[in-house]
Amino acid sequence: MTKLVENDLEFDFSDAVSAIQFDDDATHGNSSMKRVDFIAEYEDYYRFIEVKDPDIDPAADHSIFISKLQSGNLVASLAGKYRDSLLFRVLSNKCNKDMHYVVLLSMATLDTPLLLNKQDQLFREIPLNHEEWALPSAKSCVILNLEQYKNQFGETSVRRLSESGA
């Protein structure tokens, strides 16, 4: 059973063939490439996962995060993380399956229309397709809040450690 942790969130990848903490200096050395937090391998695809967790401290002032999200700076950063991670995997010859990019924005106050709007922006920033490409850079790309993530990948796919007494 593979479980990986990003700050206060524990992810259960027991349904995956393998899963790694990709945002790891041991893997990348002193490279300045941006990278997603996790890459999980499944039978027919890879899932790249980036986690942003403002709710790690619910009492904190989230205005800087919201400002970065609304300005488009966060979306540009998320796109860069995917592109650099994809390039690293391509050059490592580890891209022989479809790619799916999942961004978890764990902030309860973010509403669905805002997430969908930012998801559309992320599509354009990556981009997913180009007329010159034989394959898409990703089969899918979604931005989900914690509830949506659990609905899509299972109630036990992620849990907040501080709420479970672990």
Side-chain angles (χ1 to χ4, degrees):
M1 182 181 316
T2 302
K3 292 189 179 187
L4 299 172
V5 175
E6 180 66 21
N7 296 319
D8 191 40
L9 296 173
E10 180 183 70
F11 293 80
D12 183 346
F13 294 108
S14 56
D15 60 337
V17 172
S18 67
I20 59 169
Q21 185 100 29
F22 192 68
D23 190 7
D24 175 28
D25 289 340
T27 301
H28 300 278
N30 63 359
S31 169
S32 64
M33 294 179 91
K34 297 177 182 179
R35 46 208 185 223
V36 297
D37 293 309
F38 308 119
I39 297 179
E41 179 181 1
Y42 294 86
E43 196 67 34
D44 299 329
Y45 64 93
Y46 294 100
R47 184 181 301 150
F48 289 52
I49 302 168
E50 176 61 22
V51 179
K52 296 295 179 199
D53 186 18
D55 281 351
I56 191 170
D57 182 2
D61 178 9
H62 295 111
S63 61
I64 294 171
F65 180 83
I66 294 293
S67 176
K68 192 174 177 183
L69 179 63
Q70 290 175 336
S71 72
N73 290 337
L74 180 62
V75 171
S77 173
L78 295 170
K81 286 181 178 226
Y82 179 76
R83 286 191 309 263
D84 283 4
S85 298
L86 180 62
L87 176 62
F88 189 94
R89 296 288 284 193
V90 165
L91 296 174
S92 300
N93 200 24
K94 294 180 181 175
C95 281
N96 57 340
K97 301 176 184 181
D98 290 339
M99 307 292 167
H100 298 269
Y101 187 28
V102 176
V103 175
L104 171 59
L105 295 184
S106 183
M107 187 171 173
T109 58
L110 293 178
D111 62 358
T112 302
L114 177 63
L115 292 176
L116 290 172
N117 176 274
K118 296 306 167 185
Q119 182 173 288
D120 288 343
Q121 289 178 10
L122 186 58
F123 288 170
R124 291 187 300 275
E125 285 278 338
I126 287 179
L128 297 185
N129 295 292
H130 188 279
E131 64 187 38
E132 294 291 322
W133 298 346
L135 302 170
S137 66
K139 274 290 213 196
S140 68
C141 174
V142 294
I143 298 178
L144 306 171
N145 63 27
L146 193 58
E147 180 182 329
Q148 292 168 326
Y149 188 96
K150 287 180 177 184
N151 286 340
Q152 185 153 346
F153 301 115
E155 189 61 35
T156 61
S157 60
V158 62
R159 70 183 180 115
R160 189 165 294 287
L161 294 171
S162 61
E163 292 176 359
S164 63

